[in-house]
């Protein structure tokens, strides 16, 4: 007899999804089941078919471009593929619901978040205006949003990333669906917010018996929440099993490669860097004033007086939660925003008080690799022009610049033949390599990498981190590496600064900070890191 715990919520049998125009099959013969109260993690690199599978389940494939060419999808015994558009609309939010990766794009910026969650109830004919509002406020309390009345009247831009994700989760769970699909819901969140969101999903799951299909490339998260794991690669199902089977005893080479690519929280151990000092920062700060004459002005210390040094060939990590001041520090260092005070000495020169005209010759000595490689590349330019642009701006002859572009592309693991392509023709990891090539084109002394690997698959992430380490060791460039991922910091950094609310609360060698922290906040960050009990490289839990 089937019990509540063993009830089958989702069954996918021999699923194929193909392109309408060419008939090319994108995912092939995918089969798995998911039961009530169970968490199934769907893992694999970008392009493996994870999100395509979830969209097929929700009936959200673009009918003009994609079609299910074989197989079946059953949600509580109902065939999704045979359902009409009206039946699918009724199933969404009641039987199955989805939480997307980026809550800002999933929410309407012109409506209050309360109205958007109430809309789900209204569309499904639930209650009247008064009861819908009460129900939404209770859901906001259930997902631990502070001051539900205020949040209800807020617009998405007025909330933090973690709060917006809680709104999207509220929208997904408001009608108690039996199946929740979470597509990379914690990728862009810092470790403490990530832990809160994962705990929230688990709490809702236990309360309502929801089956969770969790799509992620973060094996730290997988090790904490998965009951079973499905591994996909290039549209094929590679391997499936329990958490311990996949993480400790993977059978397939591809799975072993993915798991072993996950960085450890334990630093590998490095000798102290003894290079010459190239950057010295003293009492750098940034103050904003909010409010008006009538409402009163309020001082906001986005960056409190901060000091740091950077040597040639050194990688200095800056870690902390969202809003801790990491990016503000980076932008002040590069004078992309004007610091309120302090000194920035690049070599023997203080650049903190220079005008933008005076600063221009020094800009080539500072270069930045941003988080999103697609948005930071001009989609209308070919790669050769993207990488050569800085050199041309500083007077390098075009022929010489283009010749150096080829060398740079090969240096970052791409080929000269790729020079004439456009950014959209590359994968995310390849685009980030192009960004690194562009940053290296001017032979900088300081390279700032701002969350430059946070959106990459673990295998690509490992390649980019190794590339940055090689470049640092070979060229002597000093790297300021900003990240919220302590595993990444452990793998690549020599020293670490921990920031909280605009100030440095702890600093030291990466080994000292991550294995012997002295501050409670640092210990909290380490304790919140997912998968801290797993040694992925050696396929075993830590003793």
């Amino acid at each position: 007899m089937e019990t509540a715990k063993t009830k089958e919520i989702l069954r996918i049998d021999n699923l194929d999804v193909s392109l309408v125009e060419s008939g090319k099959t994108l995912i092939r013969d995918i089969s798995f089941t998911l039961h009530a109260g169970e968490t199934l993690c769907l893992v694999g690199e970008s392009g493996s078919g994870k999100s395509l599978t979830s969209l097929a389940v929700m009936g959200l494939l673009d009918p003009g471009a994609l079609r299910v060419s074989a197989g079946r999808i059953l949600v509580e015994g109902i065939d999704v593929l045979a359902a009409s558009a009206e039946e699918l609309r009724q199933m969404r939010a009641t039987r199955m619901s989805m939480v997307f990766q980026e809550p800002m794009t999933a929410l309407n910026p012109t409506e209050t978040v309360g109205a958007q969650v109430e809309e789900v109830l209204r569309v499904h004919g639930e209650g009247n205006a008064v009861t819908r509002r009460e129900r939404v406020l209770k859901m906001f309390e259930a997902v631990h949003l502070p001051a539900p009345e205020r949040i209800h009247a807020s617009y998405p831009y007025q909330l933090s990333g973690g709060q917006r994700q809680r709104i999207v989760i509220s929208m997904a769970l408001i009608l108690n669906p039996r199946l929740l699909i979470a597509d990379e819901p914690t990728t862009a969140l810092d470790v403490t917010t990530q832990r809160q969101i994962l705990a929230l999903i688990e709490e809702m799951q236990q309360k309502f018996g929801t089956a969770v299909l969790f799509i992620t490339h973060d094996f730290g998260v997988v090790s904490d929440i998965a009951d079973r794991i499905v591994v996909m690669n290039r549209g094929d199902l590679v391997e499936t099993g329990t958490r311990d089977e996949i993480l400790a005893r993977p059978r397939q080479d591809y799975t072993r490669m993915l798991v072993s690519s996950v960085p450890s929280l334990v630093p590998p151990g490095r000798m102290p860097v003894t290079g010459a000092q190239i950057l010295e920062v003293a009492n750098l700060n940034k103050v904003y004033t909010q409010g008006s004459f009538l409402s009163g002005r309020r001082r906001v210390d986005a960056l409190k007086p901060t000091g740091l040094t950077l040597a040639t060939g050194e990688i200095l990590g800056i870690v902390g939660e969202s809003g801790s001041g990491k990016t503000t520090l980076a932008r002040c260092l590069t004078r992309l925003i004007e610091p309120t005070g302090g000194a920035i000495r690049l070599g023997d020169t203080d650049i903190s008080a220079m005008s933008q005209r005076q600063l221009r010759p020094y800009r080539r000595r500072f270069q930045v690799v941003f988080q999103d490689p697609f948005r930071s590349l001009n989609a209308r330019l070919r790669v050769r022009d993207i990488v050569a642009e800085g050199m041309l701006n500083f007077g390098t002859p075009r022929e010489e610049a283009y010749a150096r572009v080829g060398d740079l592309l090969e240096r970052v693991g791409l080929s000269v033949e790729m020079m004439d392509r456009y950014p959209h023709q590359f994968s995310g990891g390849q685009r980030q390599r192009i960004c690194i090539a562009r940053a290296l084109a001017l032979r900088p002394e300081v390279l700032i990498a701002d969350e430059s690997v946070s959106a990459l698959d673990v295998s690509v992430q490992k390649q980019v981190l190794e590339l940055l380490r090689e470049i640092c060791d070979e060229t002597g460039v000093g790297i300021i590496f900003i990240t919220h991922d302590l595993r990444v910091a452990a793998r690549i950094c020599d020293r670490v600064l921990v920031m909280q609310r605009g100030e440095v609360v702890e600093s030291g060698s990466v080994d000292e900070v991550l294995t012997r922290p002295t501050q409670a906040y640092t210990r909290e960050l380490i304790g919140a890191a997912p998968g801290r009990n797993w040694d992925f490289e050696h396929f075993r839990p830590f003793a």
Side-chain angles (χ1 to χ4, degrees):
M1 179 178 176
E2 188 178 56
T3 66
K5 281 290 185 181
T6 62
K7 182 181 179 182
E8 186 177 274
I9 301 299
L10 172 66
R11 171 175 287 274
I12 298 179
D13 288 329
N14 310 114
L15 181 68
D16 289 4
V17 174
S18 305
L19 292 171
V20 170
E21 187 173 337
S22 66
K24 180 181 178 181
T25 303
L26 301 180
I27 59 175
R28 292 166 292 275
D29 198 27
I30 302 300
S31 299
F32 59 82
T33 59
L34 177 59
H35 297 83
E38 184 181 31
T39 298
L40 177 70
C41 286
L42 194 55
V43 302
E45 297 173 288
S46 297
S48 63
K50 306 187 302 295
S51 294
L52 206 56
T53 302
S54 68
L55 292 173
V57 173
M58 292 293 296
L60 293 175
L61 294 176
D62 180 357
L66 298 164
R67 67 183 182 90
V68 174
S69 51
R72 63 176 186 161
I73 302 170
L74 302 179
V75 176
E76 288 196 298
I78 299 174
D79 191 342
V80 171
L81 303 179
S84 66
E86 177 60 25
E87 289 170 334
L88 278 175
R89 189 177 70 83
Q90 289 298 326
M91 289 179 69
R92 295 182 191 124
T94 57
R95 292 184 182 274
M96 56 186 183
S97 197
M98 191 165 183
V99 177
F100 295 94
Q101 178 174 352
E102 178 44 67
M104 197 61 179
T105 57
L107 295 171
N108 186 336
T110 65
E111 287 190 18
T112 64
V113 295
Q116 293 183 61
V117 181
E118 285 181 23
E119 183 182 13
V120 178
L121 297 173
R122 179 173 55 78
V123 166
H124 286 273
E126 297 281 331
N128 56 39
V130 174
T131 58
R132 286 195 293 267
R133 177 183 173 85
E134 290 175 352
R135 193 163 167 182
V136 169
L137 289 174
K138 286 182 179 178
M139 177 56 76
F140 285 179
E141 290 178 2
V143 299
H144 308 297
L145 280 165
E149 291 277 359
R150 176 182 63 80
I151 295 289
H152 188 283
S154 299
Y155 290 88
Y157 76 90
Q158 295 175 306
L159 306 177
S160 69
Q163 288 174 334
R164 286 194 293 266
Q165 197 62 287
R166 289 168 190 267
I167 296 296
V168 174
I169 291 172
S170 297
M171 193 179 296
L173 295 177
I174 191 71
L175 289 173
N176 300 334
R178 302 296 292 153
L179 170 64
L180 176 66
I181 300 175
D183 190 358
E184 300 277 11
T186 61
T187 296
L189 303 178
D190 55 64
V191 288
T192 51
T193 306
Q194 184 182 71
R195 181 175 63 174
Q196 293 165 7
I197 295 299
L198 294 175
L200 172 62
I201 292 175
E202 182 182 9
E203 180 184 334
M204 297 295 103
Q205 184 179 30
Q206 292 175 351
K207 186 178 293 185
F208 301 115
T210 311
V212 177
L213 179 60
F214 199 99
I215 299 169
T216 184
H217 64 255
D218 189 333
F219 275 82
V221 170
V222 170
S223 70
D224 282 353
I225 70 170
D227 295 307
R228 289 189 297 122
I229 300 171
V230 171
V231 183
M232 293 184 67
N233 180 32
R234 298 180 181 177
D236 295 315
L237 193 154
V238 175
E239 189 169 353
T240 184
T242 66
R243 181 195 64 175
D244 289 354
E245 286 172 345
I246 297 298
L247 296 185
R249 298 179 296 278
R251 299 183 301 275
Q252 302 299 319
D253 290 342
Y254 177 75
T255 309
R256 296 179 67 84
M257 181 276 293
L258 279 184
V259 176
S260 63
S261 295
V262 181
S264 171
L265 262 176
V266 179
R270 291 193 181 91
M271 297 296 292
V273 176
T274 57
Q277 187 169 291
I278 53 174
L279 178 68
E280 181 181 6
V281 177
N283 297 315
L284 191 67
N285 66 96
K286 178 63 180 178
V287 177
Y288 292 101
T289 304
Q290 293 182 341
S292 65
F293 175 76
L294 294 177
S295 64
R297 295 189 175 277
R298 182 169 68 94
R299 174 190 172 105
V300 177
D301 290 292
L303 179 65
K304 296 175 182 177
T306 298
L308 62 86
T309 60
L310 182 69
T312 57
E314 181 180 37
I315 300 181
L316 174 65
I318 301 178
V319 302
E321 298 172 288
S322 297
S324 62
K326 305 186 302 292
T327 298
T328 299
L329 172 58
R331 291 181 176 178
C332 286
L333 288 176
T334 53
R335 296 283 304 278
L336 293 177
I337 59 175
E338 293 299 329
T340 303
I344 308 168
R345 296 192 65 84
L346 186 59
D348 297 326
T349 307
D350 187 348
I351 64 171
S352 59
M354 288 182 176
S355 67
Q356 290 297 324
R357 181 183 292 272
Q358 293 172 320
L359 189 62
R360 188 175 186 276
Y362 292 89
R363 287 217 174 272
R364 66 187 306 163
R365 298 168 67 179
F366 265 110
Q367 291 295 301
V368 183
V369 179
F370 295 98
Q371 177 174 356
D372 187 336
F374 197 76
R375 287 196 296 174
S376 62
L377 297 175
N378 189 330
R380 292 179 291 183
L381 293 182
R382 297 180 189 273
V383 167
R384 76 161 79 214
D385 297 310
I386 290 172
V387 178
E389 185 177 17
M391 293 184 283
L392 297 175
N393 288 342
F394 279 94
T396 303
R398 188 171 298 273
E399 186 175 338
E400 181 183 336
Y402 283 157
R404 179 159 163 72
V405 169
D407 293 338
L408 286 165
L409 291 180
E410 291 185 340
R411 178 66 194 84
V412 299
L414 301 175
S415 67
V416 177
E417 289 75 24
M418 295 177 173
M419 289 173 61
D420 290 326
R421 297 184 192 175
Y422 291 92
H424 73 272
Q425 296 174 295
F426 294 88
S427 69
Q430 288 174 324
R431 287 196 291 265
Q432 197 62 289
R433 289 169 185 268
I434 293 168
C435 291
I436 294 171
R438 178 179 61 180
L440 294 175
L442 292 172
R443 297 183 173 90
E445 296 171 38
V446 177
L447 181 67
I448 297 178
D450 189 357
E451 298 283 9
S452 57
V453 298
S454 62
L456 302 179
D457 301 313
V458 288
S459 57
V460 179
Q461 182 185 83
K462 181 180 180 181
Q463 295 167 13
V464 173
L465 292 176
E466 288 175 351
L467 173 62
L468 289 173
R469 186 77 248 181
E470 288 172 12
I471 288 169
C472 181
D473 293 340
E474 291 176 12
T475 68
V477 63
I479 298 178
I480 294 178
F481 193 89
I482 297 171
T483 183
H484 65 258
D485 190 332
L486 299 184
R487 293 178 174 280
V488 170
R491 169 168 280 180
I492 194 174
C493 296
D494 298 297
R495 288 189 298 123
V496 174
L497 304 183
V498 181
M499 295 192 68
Q500 181 187 27
R501 297 174 185 170
E503 66 179 327
V504 175
V505 296
E506 186 162 2
S507 64
S509 72
V510 66
D511 184 65
E512 291 171 344
V513 172
L514 295 186
T515 62
R516 299 182 298 279
T518 60
Q519 300 299 312
Y521 176 70
T522 308
R523 290 193 291 271
E524 181 184 348
L525 285 182
I526 296 170
R532 59 194 175 279
N533 297 321
W534 271 91
D535 181 356
F536 295 96
E537 186 177 356
H538 299 100
F539 308 106
R540 65 191 181 196
F542 285 115

